Amino acid sequence: MYTHEDLARLQAQSLKMQSWIRQQTFSPENQKTLRRFSSWEVAELIFQINQSTFRGRLAAEPDLPGGEVEPDGRQRWFSLDEINELRRKMKINRKTLMPPRPAGKRAFRAAVANFKGGAGKSTVALHFAHAAALDGYRVLLVDFDPQATLSHSMGLNDVAEDYTVWGIMARDLIRETDRMNAATTGAASGTALPRRTIPASIRDLGLGELRHGDFIKPTAWSTIDIVPSCANAAFVEFASAQYRHLNPEWSFFAAVSRYLDGLGDDDYDLVIFDCPPAIGYQSMNAVFAADMLYIPSGPGYWEYDSTTSFIGQLSEALADLSGFGPTFPAGKVSLPKAFADVRFLMTRYEPGNDLHRAMFEAFRKVFGPHVAEHPIEMTRAVEQSGRFLSSVYEIDYREMTRETWRRARASFDRAYEEFRASVLAAWDKI
């Protein structure tokens, strides 16, 4: 027989192994660092210009960042900050290298969501964030999944649950309850409205006093920040049920949306959510805050079945929210929830597999133009990136054959370009 004490002992053993794994995955200091990018990558893959043109500009304009030169002088390597400085200062054929962004708009929010575990949600969110950063965008990641795969992949391991989505929701409960009670006190009609009380056990946690930026953590990527998650954040589902009982008028599903509304419109360009494989309090906050749903699915029948169930249950859950009470605050969010776009992306696709091709065609017949034209192909480099909690953009192409690396990167590049096109088309609708 096994009790909680046995489980605690097994966890302690696992924590010892985590230290070794982090050293193998990141660096001896257990801190993830971002590699430099070669002048070949910067020119042809990031700026999409000829290498000779790039080298000529560097030679002609000594005020441009020159990167680090290899001892043999054959190759230059640039940091992400140097790449962004080059992007700001250089123009090619009088055209800017800065990425397109609608003027006067807040950051666009995309939720990567589905029921099925292993569909590639975290992988897609990670790669889209890295591709967007290399494209010149400023990205905020929000990890809603207590498995915290995305947080770990971005180098965050020791995260306290107070600074996760759970903390944002608890902070919102306190602030929204105080707002409602203040409105009750100032009611012009003089009618006594109910006052809601938050027990000291919750108020004394101090979450109501947390500042906006306390939840946002920097990463090894200078233009990517993250609201991380951790295993202890799993109890948000239990805590949220208790919170709703304390204040039934609290619009729990809008907590993260209200939090993001408190950011400056120009703080970030993209906000990408990694959702848990379930419909619950965290995932409902993600989809309610999102402008666009991006739904990854593997190429198997059961994954197609799970995707069908997911959109059905999500539809029912959002329909239930549409009848929420009159205390819902006016402002930037409204009911019923509407998305600027919904897209389906096939992952782990093998173009030579007859079943995969048949399932891809089935998706296109059912979901039509909502299906991304470029599925993410399964390659050895993709498998390796998953094992080492890195994206193909973080892997140095010298660690494998360049062709293997380029094939994996090309698959994600095509998927990202389609994602960006969808974002830009939907951005004007928000």
Side-chain angles (χ1 to χ4, degrees), residues 87-105:
R87 189 189 303 279
R88 289 191 299 271
K89 291 183 176 180
M90 285 179 61
K91 282 184 172 61
I92 303 298
N93 297 325
R94 297 183 179 180
K95 292 184 178 179
T96 180
L97 295 175
M98 295 297 291
R101 188 197 198 286
K105 297 280 187 178

Side-chain angles (χ1 to χ4, degrees), residues 39 76 183 258 314 341 343 385 395:
S39 56
R76 292 177 183 269
R258 277 190 288 267
L314 182 59
D341 198 1
R343 307 284 290 176
S385 71
I395 295 175

Side-chain angles (χ1 to χ4, degrees), residues 62-75:
D63 62 320
L64 293 175
E68 290 184 356
V69 183
E70 288 183 344
D72 60 10
R74 296 178 58 189
Q75 187 70 274

Side-chain angles (χ1 to χ4, degrees), residues 105-234:
K105 297 280 187 178
R106 62 159 171 78
F108 189 87
R109 306 169 189 171
V112 183
N114 203 339
F115 263 168
K116 190 77 171 65
K121 294 184 293 294
S122 298
T123 299
V124 169
L126 180 74
H127 280 81
F128 282 179
H130 290 178
L134 292 176
D135 202 16
Y137 288 110
R138 298 156 299 169
V139 182
L140 175 64
L141 291 168
V142 184
D143 192 352
F144 286 84
D145 191 349
Q147 295 179 87
T149 301
L150 182 63
S151 298
H152 295 163
S153 297
M154 291 304 299
L156 280 82
N157 295 286
D158 300 318
V159 177
E161 60 268 22
D162 289 2
Y163 302 100
T164 67
V165 168
W166 170 76
I168 290 175
M169 293 181 68
R171 172 181 180 263
D172 187 76
L173 167 71
I174 295 169
R175 295 191 172 192
E176 279 296 286
T177 302
D178 289 346
R179 180 188 65 81
M180 293 175 188
N181 286 338
T184 299
T185 302
S189 66
T191 304
L193 298 177
R195 289 182 59 83
R196 300 296 179 181
T197 302
I198 303 299
S201 59
I202 296 176
R203 283 196 180 274
D204 290 351
L205 293 173
L207 298 175
E209 283 71 49
L210 286 178
R211 297 162 297 179
H212 226 71
D214 290 337
F215 298 96
I216 297 175
K217 308 301 179 187
T219 72
W221 291 69
S222 57
T223 52
I224 302 178
D225 293 334
I226 187 171
V227 176
S229 187
C230 66
N232 285 351

